[in-house]
Each structure stands twice: as C-alpha cells, then as structure tokens.
Amino acid sequence: MTQYIIDVKTPAIKEASSVKSDYGLENHGLINLHNVYWNLPSEALYEEIVFRGEGKMTKGGALTVNTGRHTARSANDKFVVKEPTTEDKIWWGEYNRPFSLDKFHATWNRLQGFLQGRDLFVQDCYAGADPNYRLPVRIITEYAWHSLFVRNMFITPQTQDELRHFIPEFTIVSIPSFKALPQVDGTLSETFILLNFDEKLCLIGNSGYGGEIKKSAFPVMNFLLPLEGVLSMHCSANVGHKGDSALFFGLSGTGKTTLSADPNRGLIGDDEHGWSDEGIFNIEGGCYAKVIALSPTAEPQIYACTHKFGTILENVVFDPVSRYLDLDDERLTENTRAAYPLEYIDNAVPEKQAGHPKNIVMLTCDASGVMPPIARLTPEQAMYHFISGYTSKVAGTEVDLGKEPEVTFSACFGAPFMVHHPAYYAELLRNKMEKYGAECWLVNTGWTGGQYGIGKRMSIKHTRALLNAALDGSLLKVEYRTDPVFGFKVPKTCEGVPDKVLRPIDTWEDPKAYEDKYAQLAALFIENFKKFAEGCPPEVVKAGPTKEGVKELRKA
C-alpha cells in the first residue's frame, strides 16, 4: 500500500486535525510526522481507504480489504515485557512469553524513527462499556482501514469536547509495514506483538490482520480488571425480558454465537465481557464474526451485516464488476471476517450492560460422544471446567485441521488472552457465582450415540430445549442423577428431550465401548489439570473426574 510521504492532498486532509486531542503524539515520542488524521468518522475513513487503495466497496456498501500474509492471529509472535513492577502477576509460559525490556525499548526506538515523515491515523476510544471500569485507549495505525476497524470494535467518545480532552491510559501502535529484525530485536520472526503493561504500550508490526488489534486490547483488560475485583471473560452474553442475563463460554465450533443469538433475548455482546459488583458489561463496541459459508437463513442478522455500510470484510472474495460477495470462497483464507458495530444487530442492547447473570453456560463439543447434553455444576466444579476449557476442534473451525477431531483444553475458554494464572480468574468466578446466586451449566453440543464417525451430532432442537429450560428456571425443578465419573448433576427429564438422550450410555449400541471412551476422556482431563493443580484450592482439584469414578461407572 502506498505511503503518501510527498504532499498529496487526500480527501480528509482538511479535517485531519478537527478533533485532535490536546494530548498529542509527541507525548508518545512520535515526531516529524507527515499528516496525522485524528478521530475521523466512518464516512471520511471510507474516502481515505478507497483513495489509498486499501479496500473496495462491495454490493450494499461494505468495504472489503486484504490483510496480506497474515489472515489470522500470529500467536507465536506475541510477547509480554518482563519488568519488576508486573512480573510477579503474569502467568508466564506458552501464551505469555517474556520479552526483554531493553529489546522492547530498542524496537520502539527504531519504530519511532521509521514513522518520521509518514501518515498516521489515530482513534481515541474506550475498552469497557461500564464508565466505572472503562479504559481510555489510543490506537495509532498506519492504515486508514485499521482506523475504521477500531471505530467498529471499540467504544467511541460521544462529543468533540471529550475527544479534545482525551488522555489515553493505554496505547496500541499497529504498523504492518514495519518488520522486526529477529537477530537484533529478539523476536521469533519479522512479526511481533509486544505488550508492556508498565509503560502501557503495545506494539504490533508486520501484520495487517485486524484481529491482532482487537486481541491486543483484551489481554490488557484481562490484566487490569481482575486487579479491581472484576472478572474479565472471553464469552458472549445476552439478557431476557425480565433482566435475567446469561453468559456463554465456548471455543470455536461449540455453538457459542448461534446459541447466544436468541431473538427472544437482547444481545449484550458476542466475545468479551466484564463482571463487576454492579453487573456485566461488554468490553467492546462491535462484533468480529467469522463469515465463511455464512447462511442468510441460519444467520440472517450477521449475513445482513455483510451488506451494510461501515462493515469491514477481511479477505472476503467478491466479483470486481458486479461487486457481489462470494462468502463461500475460501481461496484467501477459511478465516474470513466481518467487523461491524454491535448496533447493526437488531436486538442488541444499546447500553451493552446488564445485571448479574442468573445463568452461566459452558459449551463443549465432545467428539467422544460420552458427555451428557447438559449438567449442573457446583461452584467448585464450575471452577474446574472453567480452568479446563475442554472441547474438540473439528474440521471447519480452524485452518489446517483434518477430518479427525482434535481434543483441546484452553484455560478459561481463552488461554491465549489470559494474563494472570487461570486459578485467579476461576476464583473470581466462584466468588461472583456464590455472591449473586448464578447457576452454572455444562452443555455438550458435540456427539451422542457414539464418538465422531459413529454417533451423530447433538440435535440443536434438543440443545435449545435444554438451554431454554435452564434459562427459565424449569430445569431446576426436575430430578437429577449424579454422574459417577465427573460428579456433576444430570437431569433425568426435560420437556422436549427424550430421556435416553440425557443418559448418554443408553444412546450407545455398545455400553462397554462407552465406558472405555469415558475413561479415556477422564484421563485426559486429569492429565491436563496437573499443570494447574499447584495454583488451585484442593477442593477444586477434587471437583474433576477421578479414577475411582471410572471404576464406579463400570460397576453401574
């Protein structure tokens, strides 16, 4: 993409500084810049994007852009700066790799020099819908379309006066054309995402993928909010007509988006939330939906958003003459995305807030076919399954996955974005469940009647019936049995669901094969949890499956 270092008059040049913050970029060490475009609205950004050749308008008014080499997050290139003031609070390891403070400063200095004489776009915005906990974030980008992405995904100030007096408490700088020198900078590749919590700064280089910006702000909130007693969560949330809100945790392919998108309930948000002593709130201002093979009948609202002005479509193929989209074409990537404001969804809650959740739903896609379709969890069991974050990834949920499901455990249903030890978040979850009387349900949207390849996928009709019964409270009034392996409670009956579906062993032709598969799954849970046991209370460690439970199953 072209950088306009010479004096070219771009469409928004006259308005570039109309809503400039008094807290200028010189405070970030960014000097001798060419043009800086401050807080441009969507319409002006459209003009800049098209003028600069960054994107094309498609049928209906959405913009399509190509993110370049990176069409997904570059997880292996994310680092956290290790420094004295925060290092004892970080869950160091696979997802929070330590980075030298000196190397960070050297990289930042090179980047500051690289940006001299160049154009930049700035959006001053907030992460967090609740004014009591929102974080003022400044996002500085090289691309105009990234600036529009930020306006869609974050919460924007409402007045020019607010923008003029805006002072960021965290800053994200995203420059796709800047490459690291691994042998000098200490990165693993030319791509980098460097988080410095002490200096309140995140640097992103050599990646044009919009999700990198979105998912760089989330760890910041995951670090800061728990320190204030607020549980930060990777989940969707909705609310009923009586104010009964619900949370939906789940990894890709579990049905989180489908099941939380209930036309009879208001949508608070689809991905990131906080739970304070006042209630729950969306951390974001928009949605970032996967749109490959999107169906206008199964997902009508999201489909409609792909044809709306203001929506950004990442790596979506379109006809250059007619401008019609081809949502089924995955030649660029299977991970095609649409970024749009939450308000584009008809039943979205404008405030992006609600009261304390009455129900918490943890979704898992069990390809083993042995987990019950729903189970009621105690607070300790909720902590155990929250820390475990179990599911089976199947073809279509991630790039390069084969046909065979892949068993996956992702702590807190979002391990790559968790900064503290998972037990820290789990303890907050238990405290809030007990304080505000929330019920927790484990819902299996995977297989029944046998493992993948033998059984069949759980009926969405049955899942919705169980979920509705849980949300309206009627499932609390039925008789339960105790699962001998996991110890959670499983309802014996539910209106609209055959009794044998609630007892998975009855759906298998070979009970012995069921027992063996359940024993295998339990062993995987036990092995996975060993890495967290040291930081967890004993009662939580004991809240998972046991070898004794497997023996009891075989006696039943």
Side-chain angles (χ1 to χ4, degrees):
M1 298 183 187
T2 306
Q3 262 291 347
Y4 293 89
I5 298 175
I6 59 173
D7 194 23
V8 175
K9 303 297 182 183
T10 71
I13 189 63
K14 291 183 179 179
E15 297 79 38
S17 299
S18 296
V19 282
K20 176 185 180 296
S21 167
D22 294 338
Y23 190 87
L25 295 191
E26 65 277 4
N27 292 285
H28 305 284
L30 297 175
I31 58 174
N32 299 325
L33 302 169
H34 186 231
N35 293 316
V36 180
Y37 298 80
W38 287 85
N39 299 304
L40 293 182
S42 300
E43 293 79 4
L45 286 168
Y46 254 68
E47 294 172 352
E48 287 289 327
I49 292 164
V50 173
F51 179 80
R52 292 164 183 264
E54 295 179 4
K56 298 281 189 180
M57 284 190 69
T58 59
K59 193 73 174 179
L63 270 172
T64 183
V65 298
N66 190 316
T67 65
R69 180 169 153 270
H70 289 289
T71 58
R73 287 187 308 105
S74 188
N76 291 334
D77 293 306
K78 181 194 125 186
F79 298 89
V80 176
V81 175
K82 193 169 188 177
E83 48 77 34
T85 66
T86 59
E87 65 176 306
D88 62 332
K89 299 179 178 68
I90 308 295
W91 178 39
W92 299 107
E94 178 185 359
Y95 301 113
N96 297 298
R97 300 176 182 84
F99 197 79
S100 160
L101 181 60
D102 289 341
K103 295 286 188 184
F104 175 85
H105 287 151
T107 305
W108 180 217
N109 288 340
R110 282 204 309 112
L111 181 54
Q112 288 169 321
F114 177 84
L115 292 176
Q116 293 193 35
R118 294 175 179 266
D119 287 358
L120 288 176
F121 291 83
V122 181
Q123 289 290 336
D124 289 329
C125 49
Y126 300 108
D130 187 334
N132 295 315
Y133 301 104
R134 70 185 184 185
L135 180 73
V137 183
R138 171 166 290 171
I139 303 179
I140 303 167
T141 64
E142 176 181 15
Y143 295 162
W145 83 257
H146 276 170
S147 202
L148 178 59
F149 178 89
V150 169
R151 287 190 69 84
N152 285 352
M153 295 310 304
F154 290 80
I155 297 167
T156 54
Q158 296 303 300
T159 66
Q160 289 192 8
D161 187 64
E162 194 176 355
L163 286 167
R164 286 201 174 91
H165 294 94
F166 190 95
I167 299 177
E169 292 181 20
F170 206 92
T171 301
I172 297 173
V173 183
S174 177
I175 310 298
S177 67
F178 182 80
K179 298 179 179 181
L181 301 172
Q183 67 275 21
V184 175
D185 297 323
T187 57
L188 294 179
S189 73
E190 294 178 332
T191 304
F192 60 88
I193 302 96
L194 307 179
L195 273 166
N196 188 326
F197 290 115
D198 179 51
E199 298 182 23
K200 301 176 180 178
L201 179 63
C202 174
L203 307 179
I204 303 171
N206 196 44
S207 175
Y209 181 62
E212 225 45 286
I213 298 173
K214 163 186 157 66
K215 289 303 187 184
S216 292
F218 190 37
V220 176
M221 297 300 277
N222 280 334
F223 179 71
L224 296 174
L225 289 177
L227 298 177
E228 297 186 62
V230 178
L231 174 60
S232 53
M233 305 170 292
H234 189 216
C235 69
S236 59
N238 64 25
V239 62
H241 299 301
K242 297 179 181 179
D244 52 319
S245 65
L247 304 175
F248 297 80
F249 292 92
L251 300 173
S252 181
T254 58
K256 178 171 61 115
T257 300
T258 301
L259 293 172
S260 63
D262 188 333
N264 297 314
R265 296 172 65 84
L267 181 66
I268 300 166
D270 77 335
D271 199 44
E272 302 171 7
H273 293 84
W275 186 357
S276 72
D277 286 333
E278 288 77 43
I280 59 174
F281 59 91
N282 195 343
I283 288 175
E284 300 182 301
C287 299
Y288 192 48
K290 198 170 181 179
V291 295
I292 192 69
L294 197 67
S295 166
T297 53
E299 300 284 357
Q301 294 211 57
I302 299 175
Y303 182 86
C305 290
T306 64
H307 296 80
K308 289 187 177 181
F309 177 88
T311 294
I312 294 176
L313 301 171
E314 290 185 348
N315 305 308
V316 172
V317 175
F318 71 102
D319 184 281
V321 177
S322 68
R323 301 300 174 102
Y324 279 102
L325 302 174
D326 186 350
L327 297 177
D328 296 322
D329 194 324
E330 57 181 58
R331 76 180 73 170
L332 297 177
T333 178
E334 188 265 346
N335 187 40
T336 55
R337 295 274 177 169
Y340 51 88
L342 187 68
E343 289 73 21
Y344 282 14
I345 300 296
D346 291 340
N347 63 331
V349 177
E351 300 80 13
K352 303 177 182 65
Q353 299 180 70
H356 298 291
K358 188 176 178 181
N359 291 282
I360 298 165
V361 180
M362 296 181 183
L363 299 165
T364 182
C365 174
D366 176 34
S368 300
V370 294
M371 297 283 272
I374 195 167
R376 186 181 176 190
L377 308 182
T378 66
E380 290 72 29
Q381 289 168 343
M383 287 180 70
Y384 182 93
H385 286 278
F386 183 61
I387 291 172
S388 297
Y390 164 69
T391 195
S392 300
K393 291 180 181 177
V394 295
T397 61
E398 282 199 4
V399 179
D400 298 328
L401 276 177
K403 290 184 178 180
E404 286 298 314
E406 180 183 304
V407 172
T408 301
F409 293 92
S410 184
C412 307
F413 295 95
F417 318 115
M418 301 301 136
V419 183
H420 302 286
H421 189 283
Y424 192 95
Y425 301 98
E427 188 61 45
L428 279 169
L429 177 67
R430 174 167 66 176
N431 291 343
K432 296 202 180 294
M433 280 182 63
E434 292 177 340
K435 187 173 182 179
Y436 301 109
E439 292 287 347
C440 187
W441 308 90
L442 183 67
V443 174
N444 174 23
T445 60
W447 272 255
T448 184
Q451 67 186 72
Y452 173 87
I454 298 174
K456 60 181 181 179
R457 194 76 188 257
M458 197 75 69
S459 163
I460 185 69
K461 180 182 177 182
H462 294 159
T463 299
R464 283 205 177 276
L466 288 163
L467 192 55
N468 290 338
L471 296 181
D472 68 20
S474 60
L475 202 59
L476 297 173
K477 301 171 185 176
V478 304
E479 190 177 350
Y480 285 78
R481 66 176 176 85
T482 300
D483 184 273
V485 177
F486 282 86
F488 42 49
K489 303 290 185 181
V490 181
K492 291 184 177 181
T493 60
C494 178
E495 186 177 347
V497 182
D499 291 352
K500 77 171 188 176
V501 172
L502 294 166
R503 188 175 170 84
I505 193 170
D506 292 343
T507 67
W508 282 57
E509 289 187 10
D510 184 353
K512 177 65 168 59
Y514 168 84
E515 292 169 358
D516 290 342
K517 205 66 183 174
Y518 213 0
Q520 291 173 24
L521 181 62
L524 291 174
F525 265 87
I526 293 167
E527 184 61 30
N528 173 71
F529 209 82
K530 287 179 180 178
K531 68 181 98 169
F532 307 112
E534 187 176 339
C536 291
E539 64 272 20
V540 176
V541 179
K542 295 176 182 177
T546 63
K547 294 178 181 177
E548 293 74 17
V550 173
K551 293 176 183 177
E552 288 298 317
L553 172 73
R554 287 172 169 161
K555 289 179 184 178

